[in-house]
Amino acid sequence: MKNIGNCPAFLILGVLILCCLSHVRSDASDHRYKDGEAVPLYANKVGPFHNPSETYRYFDLPFCSPDHVKEKKEALGEVLNGDRLVSAPYKLNFREEKDSSVVCKKKLSKDEVAFFRKAVDKDYYFQMYYDDLPIWGFIGKVDKEGKADPSEYKYFLYKHIQFDILYNKDRVIEISAKMDPHSLVDLTEDKEVDAEFMYTAKWKETDTPFEKRMDKYSMSSSLPHHLEIHWFSIINSCVTVLLLTGFLATILMRVLKNDFIKYGQDEEAADDQEETGWKYIHGDVFRFPKYKSLFAAALGSGTQLFTLTVFIFMLALVGVFYPYNRGALFTALVVIYALTSGIAGYTATSFYCQLEGKNWVRNLLLTGCLFCGPLFLTFCFLNTVAIVYSATAALPFGTIVVIVLIWTLVTSPLLVLGGIAGKNSKVEFQAPCRTTKYPREIPPLPWYRSAIPQMAMAGFLPFSAIYIELYYIFASVWGHRIYTIYSILFIVFIILLIVTAFITVALTYFQLAAEDHEWWWRSFLCGGSTGLFIYAYCLYYYHARSDMSGFMQTSFFFGYMACICYGFFLMLGTVGFRASLLFVRHIYRSIKCE
């Protein structure tokens, strides 16, 4: 266990994670069919198009339902994703054409008409899966043409759906659904209506190989127009990195060069306080911070989240998260977070002991709850909201039990084992200078050198390096756009880390030059402040770039984005502090401390 922070342990962890998730890609259907053989068709969910979190079971709307509704067994990630697959009322046997086949004839009651009308008004869409290929479509339309008053709008329900299916020999390659614009049910008035639901199936052969049948879903994000925007984003970020690198290199070279010159000359000549104010606080700069247990716990949680992000990128780059691989990302997040909890325990407890902390057990408990605690409280509130709305986002009791068992049987034991290994590591804090008994008084500083203005400066530059890419991420997570350019996203992530580290180091230098030695928490807060900027972007995106509405969707968006931004705060705060610690150690090694 003592090697938990070393490379072999990370390699073993990586192999374990890849083994646990190696089955994810094999979930795709690879079935060969004979003529007339039944191909699985599942109805998944319905919901307002602009509210991606607000989804309901397909048969919550009064559609024609089969005599025996068969529910598909789903993996953990699918349930977390809100998928609830049930057998659909349509029979699409392999290469079997259908022409206006009747699903059912139904008399819609006044309540059912009102229910459908409300759904059509909110732009409800449906989602199905045919041989694991997604099908989308709207359930109806609103006729607003030439009508200024909403009370004059006409509401129609589509009652005829046409499936166009492409096949290659004995495999299904592609499917699309079109609604017949001439076959409609008028829902405008509150009265009983007779509806005859029908469907048509047309088959056509294609040369597209089975291995490439998912390519069409990822092409939209790889169009030249979109790629130009992504590359512009990267060039913009690279310019920021180059400017910061040059700025930081200039500072470092100037500081170290001046110091070497001064210490090479007579001591009497080596006294330029204006440029070397930081050397006068060498006896205080390594004084341990206040709230050391919380600080160590934040570093542990941040390190775990950083490791989690790296492994998620590894899986994305090898192609695990291809479009519509239902729940793969959620499964990966749960499994990897559970398996990396030992890293959080080791990092937090090891650093806490280096800071001469005594109550390492309490520190370990704080580490375990620092990120999971707010996430659990947020989940409890949002799951309650989903239950009230009867939405598919409400997790079944069995799924909650599984997550609790994972946390109890995997996450917690690994956290404890990591903590024990960290306590027994016996690593001492490496400080180039001795700390004096009494702290030096910090001189009065101007307002712009206080924590909040410094955090604003530190967060703005990293955010400016990623904000273009953020739109595409938001449009994918909180919309229906598909995002598959993980290589570009990984480059942007690397740039984010570099910019965060550089700007934090630069601000730490200015803080020390002003003889302010309380840099520990400041460097963490400045590094993590990008998370606050991302949350501010959430407000802009919600009001200016999306059409989300309603209490449930709003609470889900701001609730879960708060957790994600908090995770970014911990992760980037850790990066900022680690970079600053390396910098501070380096510059104080370069001078002779008395």
Side-chain angles (χ1 to χ4, degrees):
M1 281 298 294
K2 287 187 179 182
N3 291 328
I4 194 168
N6 297 339
C7 187
F10 275 100
L11 288 175
I12 294 169
L13 180 62
V15 171
L16 182 61
I17 289 169
L18 289 171
C19 288
C20 289
L21 294 166
S22 61
H23 73 282
V24 172
R25 180 145 199 166
S26 64
D27 286 344
S29 174
D30 190 15
H31 195 82
R32 298 174 184 270
Y33 300 100
K34 298 177 182 177
D35 287 1
E37 184 179 349
V39 182
L41 173 63
Y42 292 101
N44 187 13
K45 52 192 177 184
V46 293
F49 182 75
H50 300 294
N51 290 355
S53 301
E54 187 184 342
T55 54
Y56 305 94
R57 291 175 179 270
Y58 182 80
F59 291 115
D60 283 350
L61 289 176
F63 288 116
C64 297
S65 59
D67 297 332
H68 302 288
V69 177
K70 178 185 173 186
E71 294 196 3
K72 183 180 183 295
K73 290 185 178 179
E74 292 162 317
L76 174 63
E78 292 176 298
V79 179
L80 293 174
N81 196 39
D83 292 331
R84 303 290 186 271
L85 274 68
V86 295
S87 53
Y90 310 103
K91 304 297 179 187
L92 302 179
N93 296 338
F94 190 72
R95 291 185 61 186
E96 192 174 284
E97 301 252 338
K98 296 281 181 74
D99 187 17
S100 300
S101 293
V102 177
V103 181
C104 75
K105 295 180 180 179
K106 187 172 184 179
K107 182 181 281 291
L108 299 176
S109 66
K110 288 183 180 181
D111 290 341
E112 289 175 333
V113 168
F115 198 10
F116 268 128
R117 184 171 64 245
K118 184 180 178 182
V120 170
D121 186 44
K122 290 185 175 181
D123 288 329
Y124 266 51
Y125 70 95
F126 67 83
Q127 186 191 45
M128 298 183 185
Y129 282 95
Y130 183 68
D131 194 45
D132 273 341
L133 292 170
I135 311 169
W136 299 75
F138 287 98
I139 68 166
K141 69 173 184 177
V142 183
D143 182 12
K144 302 179 181 179
E145 193 172 344
K147 302 174 182 67
D149 187 357
S151 63
E152 297 177 357
Y153 293 169
K154 289 189 173 295
Y155 301 87
F156 298 99
L157 176 70
Y158 294 122
K159 62 178 183 178
H160 188 180
I161 181 170
Q162 177 178 319
F163 297 100
D164 295 313
I165 311 160
L166 301 181
Y167 69 95
N168 187 346
K169 297 177 181 176
D170 52 1
R171 284 170 159 174
V172 177
I173 302 300
E174 185 180 323
I175 184 169
S176 61
K178 291 188 294 188
M179 315 309 290
D180 187 348
H182 305 295
S183 184
L184 305 167
V185 178
D186 194 341
L187 305 171
T188 308
E189 298 178 14
D190 279 328
K191 63 179 183 180
E192 292 185 350
V193 178
D194 290 318
E196 186 179 45
F197 292 95
M198 298 177 293
Y199 69 106
T200 297
K202 295 187 179 296
W203 290 80
K204 188 178 179 181
E205 194 167 8
T206 180
D207 296 329
T208 305
F210 178 81
E211 293 75 20
K212 294 188 176 182
R213 71 175 191 162
M214 283 292 180
D215 287 359
K216 75 168 232 178
Y217 301 107
S218 58
M219 281 178 63
S220 60
S221 59
S222 302
L223 293 174
H225 171 67
H226 291 299
L227 281 176
E228 284 177 12
I229 298 173
H230 289 295
W231 282 113
F232 172 76
S233 170
I234 288 181
I235 292 169
N236 168 58
S237 304
C238 286
V239 169
T240 306
V241 170
L242 287 172
L243 288 173
L244 266 179
T245 308
F247 177 60
L248 190 64
T250 303
I251 290 175
L252 282 173
M253 291 177 67
R254 181 182 175 191
V255 167
L256 297 179
K257 182 181 177 183
N258 288 344
D259 282 332
F260 287 139
I261 290 173
K262 287 166 190 169
Y263 283 97
Q265 296 172 349
D266 294 334
E267 276 189 50
E268 296 176 2
D271 190 15
D272 188 353
Q273 185 171 345
E274 184 181 349
E275 291 192 354
T276 58
W278 54 270
K279 84 178 191 313
Y280 290 99
I281 56 170
H282 63 79
D284 297 281
V285 75
F286 292 107
R287 192 179 304 281
F288 297 147
K290 299 175 183 176
Y291 314 112
K292 61 179 75 172
S293 182
L294 179 61
F295 190 79
L299 281 182
S301 297
T303 306
Q304 180 187 5
L305 292 170
F306 176 76
T307 310
L308 167 68
T309 307
V310 170
F311 277 119
I312 288 294
F313 269 116
M314 286 171 57
L315 293 173
L317 293 172
V318 298
V320 170
F321 306 129
Y322 59 90
Y324 297 109
N325 186 3
R326 295 189 305 276
L329 179 59
F330 287 103
T331 303
L333 286 170
V334 171
V335 172
I336 297 175
Y337 185 83
L339 292 177
T340 53
S341 59
I343 294 173
Y346 178 85
T347 306
T349 309
S350 173
F351 197 78
Y352 180 67
C353 292
Q354 288 181 45
L355 299 181
E356 300 176 0
K358 304 299 180 186
N359 198 341
W360 68 275
V361 176
R362 188 179 67 177
N363 173 251
L364 201 58
L365 289 172
L366 184 60
T367 305
C369 298
L370 194 63
F371 181 73
C372 282
L375 181 63
F376 176 73
L377 292 175
T378 305
F379 162 75
C380 288
F381 171 71
L382 296 179
N383 202 57
T384 304
V385 172
I387 290 171
V388 171
Y389 273 73
S390 300
T392 59
L395 295 190
F397 179 73
T399 304
I400 296 174
V401 170
V402 169
I403 293 174
V404 170
L405 286 175
I406 290 173
W407 192 83
T408 307
L409 302 178
V410 181
T411 306
S412 298
L414 286 177
L415 182 73
V416 172
L417 288 173
I420 294 171
K423 176 182 174 292
N424 295 330
S425 62
K426 307 295 184 185
V427 178
E428 293 186 1
F429 185 78
Q430 301 296 317
C433 304
R434 286 180 306 186
T435 302
T436 56
K437 189 173 182 180
Y438 300 104
R440 179 189 292 268
E441 186 178 352
I442 299 172
L445 299 172
W447 65 270
Y448 56 84
R449 286 193 182 275
S450 59
I452 293 177
Q454 295 284 295
M455 288 172 66
M457 291 171 60
F460 177 74
L461 277 171
F463 174 76
S464 67
I466 65 168
Y467 80 96
I468 295 176
E469 208 66 26
L470 266 185
Y471 168 74
Y472 291 96
I473 300 297
F474 274 60
S476 174
V477 175
W478 299 106
H480 303 284
R481 188 188 291 266
I482 297 170
Y483 191 97
T484 55
I485 318 177
Y486 299 115
S487 54
I488 288 181
L489 186 62
F490 184 64
I491 294 171
V492 172
F493 177 68
I494 297 296
I495 291 171
L496 172 66
L497 297 179
I498 294 171
V499 176
T500 300
F502 281 1
I503 191 65
T504 309
V505 166
L507 290 174
T508 300
Y509 165 72
F510 287 127
Q511 183 181 355
L512 297 177
E515 299 183 27
D516 180 357
H517 53 79
E518 295 180 348
W519 63 275
W520 299 69
W521 273 109
R522 180 74 64 84
S523 63
F524 189 93
L525 294 173
C526 286
S529 59
T530 305
L532 302 178
F533 275 83
I534 296 174
Y535 199 66
Y537 180 81
C538 293
L539 294 168
Y540 164 75
Y541 182 84
Y542 180 84
H543 289 289
R545 305 303 293 269
S546 79
D547 294 310
M548 290 184 276
S549 61
F551 178 74
M552 178 181 168
Q553 181 61 43
T554 303
S555 58
F556 264 71
F557 178 73
F558 287 108
Y560 280 127
M561 282 311 302
C563 293
I564 292 170
C565 293
Y566 176 53
F568 265 93
F569 176 81
L570 293 173
M571 179 179 72
L572 296 177
T574 300
V575 171
F577 169 73
R578 291 292 186 185
S580 295
L581 182 61
L582 285 172
F583 170 74
V584 173
R585 278 177 174 161
H586 178 73
I587 64 171
Y588 280 97
R589 279 199 190 101
S590 68
I591 64 170
K592 298 175 183 177
C593 301
E594 295 177 1

